[in-house]
Each structure stands twice: as structure tokens, then as C-alpha cells.
Amino acid sequence: GGALDDAARMFAHALDSGVSPKDFIDKMKKTNQLIMGIGHRIKSLANPDQRVVIIKEYAKKHFNSTPVLDFALEVEQLTTRKRANLILNVDGCIAVSFVDMIRSCGAFSREECDYLMDFGCL
């Protein structure tokens, strides 16, 4: 669960802070931190993880909005310029989709969503 929770927090906080995907990547690079939810040993742009494809399609079709997923996909566009395997991986995709789902479904207040993420519910 740690990788999912960290990816959810990392991408949501970056989006919420108003930072651009490029500035987010630059900050992570500058502070020598990994971007949780990015990267795969085997899968790449040329060999995508079908689980990620399915989750992205489902979220885009069924969730009211997907701003955190969209932000993560913008990050992926930039990271894959460096290496083709620096893709949004299945943990990252599940994490950002979960954030978008709880934020847009109408069942939770923003404070409740933030609490669920901070608590580490993934």
C-alpha cells in the first residue's frame, strides 16, 4: 500500500499546489526524490501495461473529472522523453484514479478526501 499512498499524495499535492508538470519533475530531480508511480522495469511506451490502459479508459469514461490522472499523464509525457520506461505504472494509475474518483463522485467533502489520502487508505 505504501507506493499507492505515496503516489496519490505526491501527484495530488503537486496538482493542488498549482505547479506545472515540468516544475514538479524539476523539483523532484533537484531534491533527488523518485516520483512514485512512474517507471517500470519491463513496460514502456512501445510495450504498454494493459492494466494501465484499462484503468485510464475506465476513469475517463466513468469519473466526473480526472484532473490528477491528467496531471500524471502530463508528467509521463515529459519523463518518457528521457527514457521510454518512465511511464505511469499500474500503482501510479490506480493511485491517481482513486483520488479523482473520491474527489469527483460527490460522496465525500474535500476535507474527507484529503483525510483519506493522508491516512493512507490505499
Side-chain angles (χ1 to χ4, degrees), residues 42-109:
I42 300 164
K43 300 299 180 181
S44 66
L45 287 175
N47 180 26
D49 186 334
Q50 290 306 304
R51 299 170 299 173
V52 172
V53 173
I54 291 165
I55 293 164
K56 284 191 299 191
E57 288 174 1
Y58 185 89
K60 291 289 189 181
K61 182 175 180 182
H62 295 286
F63 297 174
N64 291 330
S65 65
T66 58
V68 185
L69 174 60
D70 296 341
F71 184 87
L73 292 172
E74 289 179 51
V75 169
E76 177 190 57
Q77 285 186 347
L78 298 171
T79 57
T80 54
R81 289 181 191 166
K82 181 178 178 184
R83 277 205 330 255
N85 70 330
L86 292 178
I87 58 170
L88 181 64
N89 62 38
V90 71
D91 288 343
C93 192
I94 290 168
V96 297
S97 296
F98 178 81
V99 175
D100 283 334
M101 179 184 69
I102 64 172
R103 284 184 174 182
S104 71
C105 71
F108 304 98
S109 70

Side-chain angles (χ1 to χ4, degrees), residues 1-19 24 27-28 33-37 68 71-72 91-100 102-103 110 113-122:
L4 292 167
D5 291 321
D6 290 344
R9 277 189 217 101
M10 197 173 274
F11 282 111
H13 291 321
L15 175 68
D16 296 344
S17 73
V19 69
F24 169 66
K27 179 187 172 214
M28 298 305 286
Q33 294 181 65
L34 294 174
I35 301 174
M36 301 306 292
V68 185
F71 184 87
D91 288 343
C93 192
I94 290 168
V96 297
S97 296
F98 178 81
V99 175
D100 283 334
I102 64 172
R103 284 184 174 182
R110 183 58 180 263
C113 293
D114 291 345
Y115 173 77
L116 287 170
M117 277 196 309
D118 291 340
F119 181 70
C121 63
L122 292 173

